[in-house]
Amino acid sequence: MKQQTVSILSNELCLSGVLHLPSNSNEQKVPLIVILHGFLGSKVGEHRMFVKAARFFTKRGFSVFRFDFSGCGESDGDYSNVMVTKQLKEVQTVLNYLSSIKEVDAENITLIGHSLGGAVASITAAQDRRIRKLILWSPVGKPYEDITNIMGAETVELARVNGKVDYNGFYVSHLFLEDLKNHHPLEAICSYKDEAFIIHAKEDEDVPTEHTYSYFDALRQRGCKKEVDKHFVEQADYTFSSYALEEELFNKSFEWLDKFSYNSEKIAL
């Protein structure tokens, strides 16, 4: 496996990313997975979940790109300027860059989104035909309601009065919260035309598990004959915080992807 640090310019800000490539990427174009982190997150993830996920999928023949949205992780900017509207544009910039890499099969792109990243992934997939597979991990379904419920009414009111609020060491702006009202992933997903898989932590304390049913129903009602599936990881919390829970999350995701035979030359494990 190869691992490359990448910096992508988006609206005059550098987005920090890491590209993971399997050993056979010099011989053929390989399918790509792009991981989108969630609210207050980063490309590393809680307990390094996205690092471990990237290495898991790369060992199985995929190229994987994980990156920090602006204001997050090692990317330029401050969280006080974060908005989902901006994140959607940043995903487009990232996809344009990745599509030009010679080792990457730009016709086989999968988005994996966790939490708020799941909402961003859903809206992106609905608008960008380059996305052929969509995997949602405990996805936010109602951005404004879900995020404000996580933060709490008092904190949200402080953001409204002061323009921003210090929340867990991040400045979350009132504009960020207001912008969430403009995005409706459960409606947008109806325009997505390909396969999708939703996995939710059964004991998720932040994002309601009912969203998985809502996404599933919306996808099933599109009228197209594309596979849609769902799975609940028993005893899992919001971030799947144990090796056993991560293993189930990764394995179920790979087993679903593997059904489509993305990569004809599997890497022996």
Side-chain angles (χ1 to χ4, degrees):
M1 292 186 293
K2 294 177 288 185
Q3 184 172 306
Q4 303 173 4
T5 300
V6 177
S7 183
I8 301 173
L9 188 65
S10 178
N11 194 29
E12 300 184 349
L13 296 174
C14 286
L15 306 181
S16 174
V18 178
L19 179 63
H20 301 255
L21 293 168
S23 57
N24 65 337
S25 60
N26 290 329
E27 304 162 11
Q28 61 179 12
K29 289 182 177 293
V30 291
L32 171 68
I33 294 173
V34 181
I35 298 176
L36 306 183
H37 69 75
F39 179 55
L40 307 182
S42 77
K43 64 179 179 293
V44 174
E46 294 286 339
H47 47 88
R48 302 176 75 237
M49 182 170 75
F50 301 140
V51 177
K52 288 180 273 189
R55 292 172 180 171
F56 175 93
F57 290 114
T58 304
K59 287 180 180 178
R60 287 153 179 83
F62 293 86
S63 55
V64 181
F65 188 72
R66 53 188 176 87
F67 73 100
D68 298 319
F69 285 111
S70 63
C72 303
E74 296 180 306
S75 288
D76 288 349
D78 187 81
Y79 209 89
S80 61
N81 297 315
V82 168
M83 288 192 290
V84 166
T85 295
K86 293 180 180 179
Q87 292 184 334
L88 289 165
K89 293 177 180 177
E90 289 170 2
V91 174
Q92 287 299 306
T93 301
V94 166
L95 291 173
N96 291 341
Y97 170 82
L98 295 171
S99 295
S100 68
I101 296 176
K102 62 182 179 62
E103 295 94 343
V104 166
D105 183 356
E107 299 299 316
N108 273 335
I109 299 179
T110 297
L111 278 188
I112 295 180
H114 176 246
S115 186
L116 186 58
V120 174
S122 298
I123 297 168
T124 298
Q127 299 171 345
D128 194 325
R129 292 293 294 146
R130 290 176 293 187
I131 307 307
R132 299 301 177 87
K133 299 290 178 292
L134 177 66
I135 300 178
L136 306 177
W137 291 347
S138 291
V140 160
K142 298 178 179 179
Y144 180 77
E145 290 87 345
D146 292 345
I147 298 303
T148 54
N149 283 339
I150 289 171
M151 293 178 63
E154 183 177 346
T155 305
V156 170
E157 177 63 13
L158 285 172
R160 187 191 68 81
V161 172
N162 299 320
K164 62 183 179 182
V165 64
D166 185 341
Y167 180 72
N168 292 349
F170 293 86
Y171 277 129
V172 177
S173 73
H174 178 61
L175 288 177
F176 166 78
L177 297 175
E178 288 297 297
D179 180 64
L180 292 175
K181 297 177 181 178
N182 298 321
H183 302 289
H184 309 282
L186 288 170
E187 295 176 13
I189 200 69
C190 296
S191 298
Y192 173 61
K193 302 301 183 184
D194 285 295
E195 284 84 8
F197 186 31
I198 312 110
I199 305 180
H200 213 118
K202 188 72 172 183
E203 305 302 325
D204 195 325
E205 67 277 20
D206 287 333
V207 179
T209 56
E210 67 190 46
H211 291 337
T212 282
Y213 294 105
S214 298
Y215 273 110
F216 183 77
D217 290 342
L219 287 160
R220 288 291 295 273
Q221 294 169 12
R222 294 174 298 167
C224 59
K225 296 180 180 180
K226 296 292 185 177
E227 179 167 331
V228 181
D229 205 352
K230 65 181 184 299
H231 177 74
F232 290 93
V233 180
E234 298 291 337
Q235 300 181 336
D237 60 359
Y238 171 65
T239 62
F240 305 87
S241 56
S242 80
Y243 277 103
L245 299 174
E246 285 180 338
E247 184 176 357
E248 182 174 347
L249 177 67
F250 300 162
N251 277 319
K252 289 294 182 181
S253 299
F254 172 71
E255 288 167 8
W256 182 81
L257 279 173
D258 196 45
K259 291 188 294 186
F260 304 104
S261 299
Y262 264 163
N263 198 350
S264 59
E265 296 183 19
K266 303 292 183 182
I267 293 181
L269 300 179

